[in-house]
Amino acid sequence: MDKRWLLAVILLGILAGAGYYLYRNVYFPRTRTFWRSARLGEWLGHPDAHPDWMIHAGTRCGDAPFVMPTDGYIGFLWGDSFQIGKLHQGLDIFGGTGIGKTPVVAAYPGYLTRLPTWKSAVILRIPEDPLQPGRQIWLYYTHMADPNGDSFISSAFPPGTSEKYVEAGTLLGYQGDYTGDPDSPTGVHLHFSVDMDDGRGGFRNELDIRNTLDPSPYLGLPVNAATNGNVTPVCNP
């Protein structure tokens, strides 16, 4: 084969590979997220018109190990894309109410920690993963404060709480819109993720999706953005 043709074939292969990568990892995830953003806008504008889109705190879907961590509409899923190169590490569940109104509960029995600097977050240590015995996992909850950092976490869990046992369904706090920047609050919701253990008895950095697990089998809901297919994740009998 002529060298020029060989170079052309190699170049076309590189371009095709790059195109597929961009489609699969940038365009396709962003398209899914845009659809969910529009759907979320409809929910936030008229939550009373869509009661069938809601999950309910403390309820269980089939034989899934976790109960639902709060009330509301699951607006964004595990694996959604808000910016290139970064995938959403958990679920954003929007109650459709004002701040400090929608309850947040423990999805599974575990040991709760609230670090001294945490204004809106708590984390539960689950010593025995119900889906993989012998593995420890963590449940992370955040945004439970107002834009100024005034907390909606239950008074039973003040800053500095460490390893306090809670049963599934225990009230942890209420949804808020805290982001750390009073001038840029997020919508009122709960961010919930299933985090991996670091192998030393601590939790990994939740900001990286590679440190989290797909919540779908734990909740019995289709909440993996890659396989959801643009359906509203609710528990169907």
Side-chain angles (χ1 to χ4, degrees):
M1 179 182 291
D2 185 277
K3 288 185 178 180
R4 289 175 297 179
W5 278 105
L6 179 61
L7 289 173
V9 170
I10 292 172
L11 180 59
L12 286 173
I14 292 172
L15 291 174
Y20 177 78
Y21 175 85
L22 290 172
Y23 172 78
R24 183 67 182 169
N25 295 283
V26 178
Y27 174 78
F28 186 51
R30 297 284 284 178
T31 300
R32 295 189 311 243
T33 306
F34 290 152
W35 180 88
R36 272 188 273 282
S37 296
R39 184 90 160 179
L40 176 60
E42 185 177 349
W43 159 260
L44 292 176
H46 307 282
D48 294 339
H50 304 286
D52 54 321
W53 292 4
M54 290 185 63
I55 61 170
H56 301 278
T59 63
R60 189 184 310 275
C61 189
D63 58 358
F66 289 1
V67 299
M68 301 302 164
T70 192
D71 295 331
Y73 171 65
I74 303 177
F76 295 113
L77 311 186
W78 185 79
D80 269 327
S81 176
F82 303 116
Q83 62 187 70
I84 295 175
K86 182 174 174 58
L87 297 178
H88 193 223
Q89 329 87 285
L91 307 179
D92 284 351
I93 307 170
F94 295 79
T97 65
I99 57 174
K101 302 292 185 182
T102 301
V104 172
V105 304
Y108 197 77
Y111 297 86
L112 182 144
T113 290
R114 180 184 176 189
L115 297 183
T117 58
W118 283 2
K119 299 178 180 180
S120 72
V122 299
I123 196 163
L124 274 65
R125 180 175 67 86
I126 313 300
E128 190 84 357
D129 183 342
L131 298 182
Q132 186 173 316
R135 178 172 69 175
Q136 179 165 273
I137 57 174
W138 302 76
L139 307 185
Y140 181 67
Y141 298 72
T142 194
H143 297 307
M144 293 185 288
D146 71 10
N148 296 313
D150 296 321
S151 182
F152 298 134
I153 296 171
S154 168
S155 60
F157 312 113
T161 296
S162 179
E163 290 287 295
K164 185 168 183 178
Y165 180 74
V166 296
E167 291 282 2
T170 299
L171 178 68
L172 304 182
Y174 299 87
Q175 291 184 21
D177 57 356
Y178 178 74
T179 62
D181 181 358
D183 296 324
S184 183
T186 185
V188 180
H189 73 286
L190 171 72
H191 175 87
F192 173 81
S193 64
V194 182
D195 299 349
M196 300 171 66
D197 192 82
D198 65 4
R200 300 183 299 275
F203 51 88
R204 297 188 187 182
N205 182 1
E206 190 267 350
L207 295 178
D208 187 337
I209 192 172
R210 293 172 296 183
N211 294 331
T212 65
L213 297 169
D214 178 1
S216 300
Y218 293 94
L219 293 170
L221 296 175
V223 290
N224 183 329
T227 57
N228 171 268
N230 289 351
V231 300
T232 301
V234 293
C235 188
N236 295 312

